[in-house]
Amino acid sequence: MKDMRDFVAVCEEKGLLKRITAEVDWNLELSHIAKLNEEAQGPALLFENVKGYKSPVITSACTTVERLAIIMGMPEDSTLTDLYVGWEEKAKKPIPPTYVDKAKAPCKQNIMMGDDVDLYKFPVPQYYPLDGGRFYGTAHFIITKDPDSGWVNLGTYRSQLLAKDKIGTQFIKGKHADIMLKKYQKLKQPMPVASIVGCDPILFLLGAARVGAFTSEYDVAGAFRGQAIEIVKGEVVDLPIPAHAEIVVEGFVDAEKFMEEGPFGEYTGYYSGVGTDPRNFIDVKCVTYRDNPIFWGTTVGRAVTDSHMTMALSYGATLWQQLKEMRIPGLKAVYCPPEGAGRFLAIISMTQMYPGHADQVLTAAISTEMGAYGLKTVIVVDDDIDPWDIPRVMYALSFRFQPNRSQVIKRGRSTPLDPSLPIETRDITGRLLMDATIPYEWKNKPIPIELDPDMVERVKERWSELGF
Ligand SMILES: Cc1cc2nc3c(=O)[nH]c(=O)nc-3n(C[C@H](O)[C@H](O)[C@H](O)COP(=O)(O)O)c2cc1C
């Protein structure tokens, strides 16, 4: 799979994509169809007749585990946890991207430069009634380059359409684009950026993943695909662009310039603040795009939507990967529920091997790149419990958990989107580490009740005689 068109073809062949040919308004109607469809775990949607536009919009690409598996090249009956394991294995052998000739790069088929740039030429949706406007970048990612080391980062940070040649940014503090922007500020230079809409969907998943600093998501994408991602030079920015992208925005972000941006209905089910906020923006200098470009959007809002499923994979898989890299023995499985957008709550199943082992896993989880950012609650359970089996997790929390063995960490890196904190003080979060295992060091462990196997057989034989 090298681009969005391959994904559409695969999904269509498997009956996992629906083309909508009836006219649909980009203003709320499209997003509402997508949201209701996603609540029903419906197919990916290709809107072919968006009011006032000739080119299509795709939504709901990542809504089901089946489609996430297709993107990752994994068996379609995989569970989310299987995908975490596959992610860790596939990511082991990074392959750097390779430049191709411009003539072989479909993303260069059309070009708008300078004053001709007009982002309203694309069918950008408005998602919710109180949103500050149309959101250009939802299922997109922004490419930036570290001025010191040359490290190229791909990160998904929302972008509001603010003017025909301006899109907003929301680089949350400490995100890789934010770290780089501050370096350009010191150099007194605007930061070159490119925003990519529509591409090999693995690039978007990686843009939304907690890939550590100094690792390029391009190299990891190459590992997933088993071959180098094809890239091409930008027209006005010296950044590597996916050759098969649908729409490429090139421009600059000046750390000292701001426009009013937002609000936006976030994945928490709430608006992040109370109104608009001054934010940095991309001053767009050039747009290149394929013929009949497919505009890709993802819905957010109350769980579970397409973006919750995206994050349940991208955050959960990176937590599993980073825990495995710590080489802690006994890890069985991790589950980051989509209901928590895969990032606020993690459940880990493990085989205990020594006293304090469960505590080690709990503190390790919040020390990973993923966990150090906003993960609020971690639960460990013994290996007889699958972490995705929520009734069994509730059982462990009822009969094995002891509040006096839990730990509250008072201060950790938070997200400004967490609605459980007051809007003005969302920099720092607490964390709760819940040990729902039977302590390894106990000499006298609770004796589990088992049925007598012979009696079970006998009762089963008599089942219909007993009138069941
Ligand atoms: C649909 C979607 C929208 C997102 N929007 C933002 C955003 O506006 N700002 C932000 O900092 N992170 C946002 N994220 C989360 C980041 O993509 C994620 O934290 C990622 O790790 C950032 O890349 P980085 O680690 O290279 O900085 C979003 C994720 C998704 C799936």
PDB file of all heavy atoms in Angstrom, residues 138-139 151 153-158 170-172 174-177 204 207-211 217 266 298 300 307 310-311 314-315 369 373, ligand 1:
ATOM      1  N   THR A 138      -7.113  17.422   9.939  1.00  0.00           N
ATOM      2  CA  THR A 138      -7.532  16.519  11.030  1.00  0.00           C
ATOM      3  C   THR A 138      -6.772  15.211  10.802  1.00  0.00           C
ATOM      4  O   THR A 138      -5.854  14.903  11.552  1.00  0.00           O
ATOM      5  CB  THR A 138      -9.065  16.311  11.055  1.00  0.00           C
ATOM      6  OG1 THR A 138      -9.523  15.914   9.768  1.00  0.00           O
ATOM      7  CG2 THR A 138      -9.781  17.582  11.505  1.00  0.00           C
ATOM      8  N   ALA A 139      -7.117  14.497   9.710  1.00  0.00           N
ATOM      9  CA  ALA A 139      -6.332  13.286   9.368  1.00  0.00           C
ATOM     10  C   ALA A 139      -5.160  13.714   8.487  1.00  0.00           C
ATOM     11  O   ALA A 139      -5.067  13.327   7.323  1.00  0.00           O
ATOM     12  CB  ALA A 139      -7.210  12.279   8.656  1.00  0.00           C
ATOM     13  N   TRP A 151      16.976  15.918  11.980  1.00  0.00           N
ATOM     14  CA  TRP A 151      15.921  14.911  12.230  1.00  0.00           C
ATOM     15  C   TRP A 151      14.590  15.420  11.667  1.00  0.00           C
ATOM     16  O   TRP A 151      14.174  16.537  11.931  1.00  0.00           O
ATOM     17  CB  TRP A 151      15.848  14.664  13.740  1.00  0.00           C
ATOM     18  CG  TRP A 151      14.533  14.232  14.291  1.00  0.00           C
ATOM     19  CD1 TRP A 151      13.710  13.249  13.825  1.00  0.00           C
ATOM     20  CD2 TRP A 151      13.883  14.772  15.460  1.00  0.00           C
ATOM     21  NE1 TRP A 151      12.590  13.140  14.628  1.00  0.00           N
ATOM     22  CE2 TRP A 151      12.675  14.058  15.628  1.00  0.00           C
ATOM     23  CE3 TRP A 151      14.206  15.780  16.376  1.00  0.00           C
ATOM     24  CZ2 TRP A 151      11.789  14.334  16.677  1.00  0.00           C
ATOM     25  CZ3 TRP A 151      13.330  16.046  17.417  1.00  0.00           C
ATOM     26  CH2 TRP A 151      12.135  15.316  17.562  1.00  0.00           C
ATOM     27  N   ASN A 153      10.604  15.144  11.495  1.00  0.00           N
ATOM     28  CA  ASN A 153       9.475  14.652  12.299  1.00  0.00           C
ATOM     29  C   ASN A 153       8.168  14.751  11.529  1.00  0.00           C
ATOM     30  O   ASN A 153       7.940  15.689  10.777  1.00  0.00           O
ATOM     31  CB  ASN A 153       9.351  15.484  13.582  1.00  0.00           C
ATOM     32  CG  ASN A 153       8.343  14.870  14.545  1.00  0.00           C
ATOM     33  OD1 ASN A 153       8.600  13.794  15.088  1.00  0.00           O
ATOM     34  ND2 ASN A 153       7.202  15.518  14.734  1.00  0.00           N
ATOM     35  N   LEU A 154       7.311  13.752  11.743  1.00  0.00           N
ATOM     36  CA  LEU A 154       5.941  13.787  11.234  1.00  0.00           C
ATOM     37  C   LEU A 154       5.028  13.801  12.456  1.00  0.00           C
ATOM     38  O   LEU A 154       5.122  12.904  13.305  1.00  0.00           O
ATOM     39  CB  LEU A 154       5.636  12.529  10.409  1.00  0.00           C
ATOM     40  CG  LEU A 154       6.008  12.480   8.923  1.00  0.00           C
ATOM     41  CD1 LEU A 154       7.425  12.916   8.647  1.00  0.00           C
ATOM     42  CD2 LEU A 154       5.756  11.090   8.361  1.00  0.00           C
ATOM     43  N   GLY A 155       4.169  14.805  12.569  1.00  0.00           N
ATOM     44  CA  GLY A 155       3.278  14.876  13.734  1.00  0.00           C
ATOM     45  C   GLY A 155       1.893  15.340  13.323  1.00  0.00           C
ATOM     46  O   GLY A 155       1.761  16.255  12.503  1.00  0.00           O
ATOM     47  N   THR A 156       0.874  14.713  13.894  1.00  0.00           N
ATOM     48  CA  THR A 156      -0.508  15.118  13.612  1.00  0.00           C
ATOM     49  C   THR A 156      -0.929  16.172  14.625  1.00  0.00           C
ATOM     50  O   THR A 156      -1.035  15.871  15.820  1.00  0.00           O
ATOM     51  CB  THR A 156      -1.427  13.884  13.681  1.00  0.00           C
ATOM     52  OG1 THR A 156      -1.049  13.004  12.620  1.00  0.00           O
ATOM     53  CG2 THR A 156      -2.895  14.273  13.510  1.00  0.00           C
ATOM     54  N   TYR A 157      -1.095  17.393  14.172  1.00  0.00           N
ATOM     55  CA  TYR A 157      -1.539  18.501  15.019  1.00  0.00           C
ATOM     56  C   TYR A 157      -2.623  19.216  14.220  1.00  0.00           C
ATOM     57  O   TYR A 157      -2.376  19.626  13.081  1.00  0.00           O
ATOM     58  CB  TYR A 157      -0.405  19.486  15.309  1.00  0.00           C
ATOM     59  CG  TYR A 157       0.958  18.856  15.584  1.00  0.00           C
ATOM     60  CD1 TYR A 157       1.943  18.872  14.599  1.00  0.00           C
ATOM     61  CD2 TYR A 157       1.248  18.261  16.802  1.00  0.00           C
ATOM     62  CE1 TYR A 157       3.202  18.312  14.838  1.00  0.00           C
ATOM     63  CE2 TYR A 157       2.500  17.706  17.045  1.00  0.00           C
ATOM     64  CZ  TYR A 157       3.467  17.724  16.063  1.00  0.00           C
ATOM     65  OH  TYR A 157       4.713  17.174  16.284  1.00  0.00           O
ATOM     66  N   ARG A 158      -3.786  19.398  14.825  1.00  0.00           N
ATOM     67  CA  ARG A 158      -4.933  19.920  14.068  1.00  0.00           C
ATOM     68  C   ARG A 158      -4.635  21.284  13.429  1.00  0.00           C
ATOM     69  O   ARG A 158      -3.831  22.076  13.951  1.00  0.00           O
ATOM     70  CB  ARG A 158      -6.131  20.047  14.985  1.00  0.00           C
ATOM     71  CG  ARG A 158      -6.019  21.273  15.865  1.00  0.00           C
ATOM     72  CD  ARG A 158      -7.286  21.565  16.602  1.00  0.00           C
ATOM     73  NE  ARG A 158      -7.232  22.882  17.180  1.00  0.00           N
ATOM     74  CZ  ARG A 158      -7.734  23.218  18.356  1.00  0.00           C
ATOM     75  NH1 ARG A 158      -8.329  22.300  19.087  1.00  0.00           N
ATOM     76  NH2 ARG A 158      -7.659  24.443  18.789  1.00  0.00           N
ATOM     77  N   GLN A 170      -1.741  23.836  16.315  1.00  0.00           N
ATOM     78  CA  GLN A 170      -1.875  23.644  17.768  1.00  0.00           C
ATOM     79  C   GLN A 170      -0.789  22.670  18.205  1.00  0.00           C
ATOM     80  O   GLN A 170      -1.048  21.491  18.433  1.00  0.00           O
ATOM     81  CB  GLN A 170      -3.275  23.107  18.123  1.00  0.00           C
ATOM     82  CG  GLN A 170      -3.456  22.963  19.632  1.00  0.00           C
ATOM     83  CD  GLN A 170      -4.750  22.274  20.039  1.00  0.00           C
ATOM     84  OE1 GLN A 170      -5.496  22.804  20.832  1.00  0.00           O
ATOM     85  NE2 GLN A 170      -5.005  21.068  19.529  1.00  0.00           N
ATOM     86  N   PHE A 171       0.443  23.190  18.253  1.00  0.00           N
ATOM     87  CA  PHE A 171       1.558  22.351  18.697  1.00  0.00           C
ATOM     88  C   PHE A 171       1.558  22.407  20.222  1.00  0.00           C
ATOM     89  O   PHE A 171       2.054  23.384  20.807  1.00  0.00           O
ATOM     90  CB  PHE A 171       2.907  22.874  18.188  1.00  0.00           C
ATOM     91  CG  PHE A 171       3.018  23.036  16.687  1.00  0.00           C
ATOM     92  CD1 PHE A 171       3.855  23.996  16.142  1.00  0.00           C
ATOM     93  CD2 PHE A 171       2.314  22.209  15.820  1.00  0.00           C
ATOM     94  CE1 PHE A 171       3.991  24.146  14.772  1.00  0.00           C
ATOM     95  CE2 PHE A 171       2.441  22.346  14.443  1.00  0.00           C
ATOM     96  CZ  PHE A 171       3.277  23.321  13.915  1.00  0.00           C
ATOM     97  N   ILE A 172       1.028  21.382  20.854  1.00  0.00           N
ATOM     98  CA  ILE A 172       0.980  21.384  22.323  1.00  0.00           C
ATOM     99  C   ILE A 172       2.412  21.354  22.863  1.00  0.00           C
ATOM    100  O   ILE A 172       3.293  20.703  22.275  1.00  0.00           O
ATOM    101  CB  ILE A 172       0.121  20.196  22.815  1.00  0.00           C
ATOM    102  CG1 ILE A 172      -1.358  20.511  22.483  1.00  0.00           C
ATOM    103  CG2 ILE A 172       0.314  19.940  24.303  1.00  0.00           C
ATOM    104  CD1 ILE A 172      -2.308  19.362  22.719  1.00  0.00           C
ATOM    105  N   GLY A 174       5.890  20.798  24.184  1.00  0.00           N
ATOM    106  CA  GLY A 174       6.692  19.582  24.300  1.00  0.00           C
ATOM    107  C   GLY A 174       6.524  18.639  23.123  1.00  0.00           C
ATOM    108  O   GLY A 174       7.289  17.679  22.985  1.00  0.00           O
ATOM    109  N   LYS A 175       5.507  18.886  22.268  1.00  0.00           N
ATOM    110  CA  LYS A 175       5.409  18.063  21.058  1.00  0.00           C
ATOM    111  C   LYS A 175       6.610  18.389  20.177  1.00  0.00           C
ATOM    112  O   LYS A 175       7.187  19.488  20.259  1.00  0.00           O
ATOM    113  CB  LYS A 175       4.100  18.352  20.317  1.00  0.00           C
ATOM    114  CG  LYS A 175       2.840  17.956  21.078  1.00  0.00           C
ATOM    115  CD  LYS A 175       2.725  16.459  21.260  1.00  0.00           C
ATOM    116  CE  LYS A 175       1.535  16.090  22.111  1.00  0.00           C
ATOM    117  NZ  LYS A 175       0.285  16.034  21.419  1.00  0.00           N
ATOM    118  N   HIS A 176       6.966  17.450  19.309  1.00  0.00           N
ATOM    119  CA  HIS A 176       8.217  17.613  18.579  1.00  0.00           C
ATOM    120  C   HIS A 176       8.234  18.878  17.708  1.00  0.00           C
ATOM    121  O   HIS A 176       9.258  19.568  17.634  1.00  0.00           O
ATOM    122  CB  HIS A 176       8.505  16.346  17.770  1.00  0.00           C
ATOM    123  CG  HIS A 176       8.762  15.164  18.666  1.00  0.00           C
ATOM    124  ND1 HIS A 176       8.464  13.873  18.330  1.00  0.00           N
ATOM    125  CD2 HIS A 176       9.271  15.116  19.936  1.00  0.00           C
ATOM    126  CE1 HIS A 176       8.792  13.066  19.332  1.00  0.00           C
ATOM    127  NE2 HIS A 176       9.278  13.803  20.319  1.00  0.00           N
ATOM    128  N   ALA A 177       7.097  19.209  17.089  1.00  0.00           N
ATOM    129  CA  ALA A 177       7.065  20.435  16.264  1.00  0.00           C
ATOM    130  C   ALA A 177       7.225  21.670  17.150  1.00  0.00           C
ATOM    131  O   ALA A 177       7.825  22.670  16.732  1.00  0.00           O
ATOM    132  CB  ALA A 177       5.766  20.509  15.472  1.00  0.00           C
ATOM    133  N   PHE A 204      -0.002   8.601   8.461  1.00  0.00           N
ATOM    134  CA  PHE A 204      -0.869   9.344   9.385  1.00  0.00           C
ATOM    135  C   PHE A 204      -0.869   8.673  10.756  1.00  0.00           C
ATOM    136  O   PHE A 204      -0.752   9.340  11.794  1.00  0.00           O
ATOM    137  CB  PHE A 204      -2.288   9.427   8.814  1.00  0.00           C
ATOM    138  CG  PHE A 204      -3.330   9.820   9.832  1.00  0.00           C
ATOM    139  CD1 PHE A 204      -3.293  11.055  10.461  1.00  0.00           C
ATOM    140  CD2 PHE A 204      -4.354   8.946  10.177  1.00  0.00           C
ATOM    141  CE1 PHE A 204      -4.243  11.414  11.412  1.00  0.00           C
ATOM    142  CE2 PHE A 204      -5.311   9.293  11.126  1.00  0.00           C
ATOM    143  CZ  PHE A 204      -5.251  10.532  11.746  1.00  0.00           C
ATOM    144  N   GLY A 207       2.203   9.601  12.392  1.00  0.00           N
ATOM    145  CA  GLY A 207       2.174  11.014  12.780  1.00  0.00           C
ATOM    146  C   GLY A 207       1.452  11.197  14.109  1.00  0.00           C
ATOM    147  O   GLY A 207       1.762  12.099  14.880  1.00  0.00           O
ATOM    148  N   ALA A 208       0.492  10.311  14.373  1.00  0.00           N
ATOM    149  CA  ALA A 208      -0.297  10.399  15.610  1.00  0.00           C
ATOM    150  C   ALA A 208       0.296   9.538  16.722  1.00  0.00           C
ATOM    151  O   ALA A 208      -0.281   9.448  17.805  1.00  0.00           O
ATOM    152  CB  ALA A 208      -1.734   9.969  15.322  1.00  0.00           C
ATOM    153  N   ALA A 209       1.436   8.892  16.459  1.00  0.00           N
ATOM    154  CA  ALA A 209       2.003   7.953  17.442  1.00  0.00           C
ATOM    155  C   ALA A 209       3.087   8.627  18.274  1.00  0.00           C
ATOM    156  O   ALA A 209       3.696   9.600  17.855  1.00  0.00           O
ATOM    157  CB  ALA A 209       2.594   6.745  16.719  1.00  0.00           C
ATOM    158  N   ARG A 210       3.328   8.067  19.470  1.00  0.00           N
ATOM    159  CA  ARG A 210       4.346   8.623  20.374  1.00  0.00           C
ATOM    160  C   ARG A 210       5.730   8.070  20.016  1.00  0.00           C
ATOM    161  O   ARG A 210       6.387   7.422  20.821  1.00  0.00           O
ATOM    162  CB  ARG A 210       3.996   8.295  21.824  1.00  0.00           C
ATOM    163  CG  ARG A 210       2.615   8.732  22.263  1.00  0.00           C
ATOM    164  CD  ARG A 210       2.426  10.218  22.299  1.00  0.00           C
ATOM    165  NE  ARG A 210       3.464  10.861  23.065  1.00  0.00           N
ATOM    166  CZ  ARG A 210       3.840  12.130  22.872  1.00  0.00           C
ATOM    167  NH1 ARG A 210       3.278  12.847  21.935  1.00  0.00           N
ATOM    168  NH2 ARG A 210       4.780  12.661  23.618  1.00  0.00           N
ATOM    169  N   VAL A 211       6.122   8.321  18.781  1.00  0.00           N
ATOM    170  CA  VAL A 211       7.469   7.917  18.350  1.00  0.00           C
ATOM    171  C   VAL A 211       8.454   8.871  19.025  1.00  0.00           C
ATOM    172  O   VAL A 211       8.247  10.084  19.016  1.00  0.00           O
ATOM    173  CB  VAL A 211       7.573   8.006  16.803  1.00  0.00           C
ATOM    174  CG1 VAL A 211       8.977   7.680  16.328  1.00  0.00           C
ATOM    175  CG2 VAL A 211       6.547   7.082  16.139  1.00  0.00           C
ATOM    176  N   GLU A 217       9.533   9.297  11.676  1.00  0.00           N
ATOM    177  CA  GLU A 217       8.405   8.411  11.378  1.00  0.00           C
ATOM    178  C   GLU A 217       8.530   7.827   9.965  1.00  0.00           C
ATOM    179  O   GLU A 217       7.989   6.761   9.687  1.00  0.00           O
ATOM    180  CB  GLU A 217       7.085   9.183  11.510  1.00  0.00           C
ATOM    181  CG  GLU A 217       6.644   9.467  12.940  1.00  0.00           C
ATOM    182  CD  GLU A 217       7.324  10.650  13.600  1.00  0.00           C
ATOM    183  OE1 GLU A 217       8.192  11.283  12.970  1.00  0.00           O
ATOM    184  OE2 GLU A 217       6.986  10.960  14.765  1.00  0.00           O
ATOM    185  N   GLU A 266     -13.069  18.594  20.658  1.00  0.00           N
ATOM    186  CA  GLU A 266     -11.932  17.670  20.763  1.00  0.00           C
ATOM    187  C   GLU A 266     -12.371  16.225  21.042  1.00  0.00           C
ATOM    188  O   GLU A 266     -13.536  15.960  21.327  1.00  0.00           O
ATOM    189  CB  GLU A 266     -10.990  18.141  21.887  1.00  0.00           C
ATOM    190  CG  GLU A 266     -10.279  19.455  21.580  1.00  0.00           C
ATOM    191  CD  GLU A 266      -9.141  19.297  20.569  1.00  0.00           C
ATOM    192  OE1 GLU A 266      -8.876  18.166  20.128  1.00  0.00           O
ATOM    193  OE2 GLU A 266      -8.526  20.322  20.239  1.00  0.00           O
ATOM    194  N   THR A 298     -10.923  13.227   9.627  1.00  0.00           N
ATOM    195  CA  THR A 298     -11.300  12.274  10.680  1.00  0.00           C
ATOM    196  C   THR A 298     -12.174  12.999  11.684  1.00  0.00           C
ATOM    197  O   THR A 298     -11.923  14.162  11.998  1.00  0.00           O
ATOM    198  CB  THR A 298     -10.059  11.659  11.363  1.00  0.00           C
ATOM    199  OG1 THR A 298     -10.497  10.743  12.378  1.00  0.00           O
ATOM    200  CG2 THR A 298      -9.157  12.684  12.009  1.00  0.00           C
ATOM    201  N   VAL A 300     -13.817  13.827  15.353  1.00  0.00           N
ATOM    202  CA  VAL A 300     -13.440  13.799  16.773  1.00  0.00           C
ATOM    203  C   VAL A 300     -14.736  13.940  17.567  1.00  0.00           C
ATOM    204  O   VAL A 300     -15.797  13.607  17.087  1.00  0.00           O
ATOM    205  CB  VAL A 300     -12.417  14.907  17.105  1.00  0.00           C
ATOM    206  CG1 VAL A 300     -11.026  14.515  16.712  1.00  0.00           C
ATOM    207  CG2 VAL A 300     -12.792  16.195  16.428  1.00  0.00           C
ATOM    208  N   SER A 307     -11.011   9.056  15.352  1.00  0.00           N
ATOM    209  CA  SER A 307      -9.751   9.507  15.957  1.00  0.00           C
ATOM    210  C   SER A 307      -9.459   8.750  17.257  1.00  0.00           C
ATOM    211  O   SER A 307      -8.292   8.549  17.600  1.00  0.00           O
ATOM    212  CB  SER A 307      -9.732  11.029  16.168  1.00  0.00           C
ATOM    213  OG  SER A 307     -10.897  11.455  16.771  1.00  0.00           O
ATOM    214  N   THR A 310      -7.859   5.613  16.106  1.00  0.00           N
ATOM    215  CA  THR A 310      -6.495   5.922  15.653  1.00  0.00           C
ATOM    216  C   THR A 310      -5.551   5.975  16.859  1.00  0.00           C
ATOM    217  O   THR A 310      -4.482   5.362  16.869  1.00  0.00           O
ATOM    218  CB  THR A 310      -6.481   7.297  14.940  1.00  0.00           C
ATOM    219  OG1 THR A 310      -7.371   7.235  13.843  1.00  0.00           O
ATOM    220  CG2 THR A 310      -5.094   7.684  14.478  1.00  0.00           C
ATOM    221  N   MET A 311      -5.986   6.704  17.892  1.00  0.00           N
ATOM    222  CA  MET A 311      -5.108   6.882  19.055  1.00  0.00           C
ATOM    223  C   MET A 311      -5.022   5.619  19.904  1.00  0.00           C
ATOM    224  O   MET A 311      -3.979   5.351  20.510  1.00  0.00           O
ATOM    225  CB  MET A 311      -5.586   8.073  19.884  1.00  0.00           C
ATOM    226  CG  MET A 311      -5.388   9.383  19.126  1.00  0.00           C
ATOM    227  SD  MET A 311      -6.224  10.764  19.892  1.00  0.00           S
ATOM    228  CE  MET A 311      -5.072  11.230  21.151  1.00  0.00           C
ATOM    229  N   SER A 314      -2.299   4.025  17.956  1.00  0.00           N
ATOM    230  CA  SER A 314      -0.981   4.675  17.895  1.00  0.00           C
ATOM    231  C   SER A 314      -0.389   4.887  19.297  1.00  0.00           C
ATOM    232  O   SER A 314       0.824   4.752  19.480  1.00  0.00           O
ATOM    233  CB  SER A 314      -1.074   6.004  17.136  1.00  0.00           C
ATOM    234  OG  SER A 314      -1.911   6.919  17.810  1.00  0.00           O
ATOM    235  N   TYR A 315      -1.214   5.197  20.286  1.00  0.00           N
ATOM    236  CA  TYR A 315      -0.698   5.369  21.650  1.00  0.00           C
ATOM    237  C   TYR A 315      -0.472   4.004  22.316  1.00  0.00           C
ATOM    238  O   TYR A 315       0.538   3.780  22.968  1.00  0.00           O
ATOM    239  CB  TYR A 315      -1.660   6.226  22.487  1.00  0.00           C
ATOM    240  CG  TYR A 315      -1.442   7.718  22.336  1.00  0.00           C
ATOM    241  CD1 TYR A 315      -1.633   8.358  21.108  1.00  0.00           C
ATOM    242  CD2 TYR A 315      -1.043   8.507  23.400  1.00  0.00           C
ATOM    243  CE1 TYR A 315      -1.436   9.721  20.961  1.00  0.00           C
ATOM    244  CE2 TYR A 315      -0.845   9.882  23.267  1.00  0.00           C
ATOM    245  CZ  TYR A 315      -1.039  10.480  22.043  1.00  0.00           C
ATOM    246  OH  TYR A 315      -0.830  11.837  21.913  1.00  0.00           O
ATOM    247  N   GLU A 369       7.858   7.228  26.793  1.00  0.00           N
ATOM    248  CA  GLU A 369       7.522   8.453  26.046  1.00  0.00           C
ATOM    249  C   GLU A 369       5.999   8.615  25.979  1.00  0.00           C
ATOM    250  O   GLU A 369       5.464   9.696  26.189  1.00  0.00           O
ATOM    251  CB  GLU A 369       8.134   8.358  24.634  1.00  0.00           C
ATOM    252  CG  GLU A 369       7.520   9.249  23.567  1.00  0.00           C
ATOM    253  CD  GLU A 369       7.773  10.735  23.770  1.00  0.00           C
ATOM    254  OE1 GLU A 369       8.707  11.099  24.497  1.00  0.00           O
ATOM    255  OE2 GLU A 369       7.005  11.533  23.203  1.00  0.00           O
ATOM    256  N   TYR A 373       3.323  11.279  28.968  1.00  0.00           N
ATOM    257  CA  TYR A 373       2.514  12.366  28.442  1.00  0.00           C
ATOM    258  C   TYR A 373       1.033  12.068  28.675  1.00  0.00           C
ATOM    259  O   TYR A 373       0.401  11.397  27.875  1.00  0.00           O
ATOM    260  CB  TYR A 373       2.804  12.561  26.948  1.00  0.00           C
ATOM    261  CG  TYR A 373       1.887  13.561  26.300  1.00  0.00           C
ATOM    262  CD1 TYR A 373       1.762  14.843  26.813  1.00  0.00           C
ATOM    263  CD2 TYR A 373       1.148  13.226  25.180  1.00  0.00           C
ATOM    264  CE1 TYR A 373       0.915  15.763  26.228  1.00  0.00           C
ATOM    265  CE2 TYR A 373       0.304  14.143  24.588  1.00  0.00           C
ATOM    266  CZ  TYR A 373       0.189  15.416  25.121  1.00  0.00           C
ATOM    267  OH  TYR A 373      -0.654  16.316  24.540  1.00  0.00           O
TER     268      TYR A 373
HETATM  269  C1  LIG B   1      -6.870  13.434  14.873  1.00  0.00           C
HETATM  270  C2  LIG B   1      -5.765  13.844  15.794  1.00  0.00           C
HETATM  271  C3  LIG B   1      -5.590  15.185  16.098  1.00  0.00           C
HETATM  272  C4  LIG B   1      -4.558  15.587  16.943  1.00  0.00           C
HETATM  273  N1  LIG B   1      -4.393  16.915  17.202  1.00  0.00           N
HETATM  274  C5  LIG B   1      -3.355  17.334  17.937  1.00  0.00           C
HETATM  275  C6  LIG B   1      -3.127  18.744  18.118  1.00  0.00           C
HETATM  276  O1  LIG B   1      -3.885  19.593  17.646  1.00  0.00           O
HETATM  277  N2  LIG B   1      -2.025  19.105  18.826  1.00  0.00           N
HETATM  278  C7  LIG B   1      -1.161  18.192  19.360  1.00  0.00           C
HETATM  279  O2  LIG B   1      -0.161  18.587  19.951  1.00  0.00           O
HETATM  280  N3  LIG B   1      -1.381  16.846  19.234  1.00  0.00           N
HETATM  281  C8  LIG B   1      -2.444  16.407  18.517  1.00  0.00           C
HETATM  282  N4  LIG B   1      -2.657  15.063  18.353  1.00  0.00           N
HETATM  283  C9  LIG B   1      -1.785  14.092  19.040  1.00  0.00           C
HETATM  284  C10 LIG B   1      -0.432  13.991  18.347  1.00  0.00           C
HETATM  285  O3  LIG B   1      -0.615  13.584  17.016  1.00  0.00           O
HETATM  286  C11 LIG B   1       0.481  12.981  19.037  1.00  0.00           C
HETATM  287  O4  LIG B   1       0.716  13.401  20.360  1.00  0.00           O
HETATM  288  C12 LIG B   1       1.813  12.788  18.344  1.00  0.00           C
HETATM  289  O5  LIG B   1       2.638  12.025  19.170  1.00  0.00           O
HETATM  290  C13 LIG B   1       2.495  14.101  18.034  1.00  0.00           C
HETATM  291  O6  LIG B   1       3.680  13.884  17.315  1.00  0.00           O
HETATM  292  P1  LIG B   1       5.129  14.159  17.976  1.00  0.00           P
HETATM  293  O7  LIG B   1       5.258  13.109  19.056  1.00  0.00           O
HETATM  294  O8  LIG B   1       6.051  13.915  16.839  1.00  0.00           O
HETATM  295  O9  LIG B   1       5.128  15.535  18.480  1.00  0.00           O
HETATM  296  C14 LIG B   1      -3.695  14.631  17.513  1.00  0.00           C
HETATM  297  C15 LIG B   1      -3.879  13.271  17.214  1.00  0.00           C
HETATM  298  C16 LIG B   1      -4.906  12.879  16.365  1.00  0.00           C
HETATM  299  C17 LIG B   1      -5.078  11.421  16.049  1.00  0.00           C
END
